[in-house]
Amino acid sequence: MRINPIEILERYCDSNTNAFKILVEHGQQVAGKARAAAQRVAALKPDLDFIDAAAMLHDIGIFETDTPQFGFTGKHAYICHGILGSEILKKEGHLQLALVCERHIGVGISKADVRQQNLPLPDRDMIPVSIEEQIVCYADNFFSKNGNSRPTEKPIKEILASIKRHGSEKVQRFESWVKLFET
């Protein structure tokens, strides 16, 4: 898959803004971590070009959210950025990339999560399935967008502590990724 993620991002956000810069830097960080993880599981034959594009575009839906810290005044809550990004990439004709957007939040959001937490999301499972989806989701957990400075990579213990409040099954999913992608 050869696409230019920057060109797609530029269709939805002014490339001269700080928000665009933050999103691109975050995407580059996730792409670097994801590529390293993919190389560790080369026997599974992950599509590296797809992973690079997905890492750069996984947060594209943030443009439609109400996140003033990034300069966006959309009408949707931040939790919706995955599904919004999915809709954008479907319109762009990138159905597989759209799935990454939809499934990358945390370690994935289940139908039960949507119902129990009354989330403003579709009533379905949005959990990474393909190896590429899992790799991008895994790598995304290591970096936060903060707008102040280039974020550093979070330690695994910090990520696990954050995930723990969402349930043991989510911790187990991330721990399984650590075993797979860090050895």
Side-chain angles (χ1 to χ4, degrees):
M1 163 177 292
R2 285 284 182 197
I3 66 165
N4 185 335
I6 300 298
E7 286 179 3
I8 294 173
L9 291 171
E10 287 175 335
R11 287 198 277 275
Y12 297 90
C13 183
D14 181 350
S15 62
N16 296 313
T17 64
N18 191 46
F20 185 85
K21 179 183 171 210
I22 291 167
L23 193 61
V24 169
E25 285 180 355
H26 174 70
Q28 290 169 337
Q29 290 176 308
V30 173
K33 181 77 175 177
R35 186 169 272 273
Q39 289 170 343
R40 289 187 196 100
V41 293
L44 298 176
K45 300 188 185 316
D47 182 334
L48 297 179
D49 290 335
F50 178 87
I51 287 169
D52 287 341
M56 292 300 296
L57 293 168
H58 73 279
D59 279 338
I60 192 170
I62 196 174
F63 301 132
E64 296 182 11
T65 66
D66 182 24
T67 49
Q69 67 270 33
F70 300 120
F72 300 117
T73 57
K75 60 183 177 179
H76 302 281
Y78 181 75
I79 189 77
C80 298
H81 79 277
I83 196 71
L84 294 167
S86 178
E87 291 170 9
I88 289 168
L89 291 177
K90 284 176 186 173
K91 287 178 196 170
E92 292 282 335
H94 301 293
L95 302 180
Q96 293 303 114
L97 288 172
L99 290 174
V100 175
C101 286
E102 183 174 307
R103 297 173 177 172
H104 87 275
I105 309 292
V107 293
I109 298 172
S110 70
K111 182 188 254 188
D113 295 330
V114 172
R115 291 177 178 176
Q116 291 167 357
Q117 298 172 45
N118 197 30
L119 297 173
L121 298 171
D123 189 26
R124 64 177 179 253
D125 286 328
M126 293 171 277
I127 299 169
V129 176
S130 73
I131 191 66
E132 291 86 0
E133 291 168 2
Q134 292 177 55
I135 287 169
V136 172
C137 188
Y138 171 76
D140 186 42
N141 277 282
F142 285 87
F143 303 99
S144 296
K145 299 174 289 297
N146 64 20
N148 299 326
S149 62
R150 188 164 172 89
T152 57
E153 187 171 320
K154 294 179 202 172
I156 290 171
K157 283 184 179 184
E158 182 180 325
I159 297 166
L160 287 169
S162 177
I163 292 171
K164 186 177 181 181
R165 68 177 192 245
H166 298 290
S168 61
E169 75 282 356
K170 303 221 186 299
V171 169
Q172 290 170 353
R173 185 175 304 136
F174 190 79
E175 287 176 334
S176 73
W177 289 343
V178 169
K179 288 177 187 167
L180 183 61
F181 301 131
E182 292 294 326
T183 56

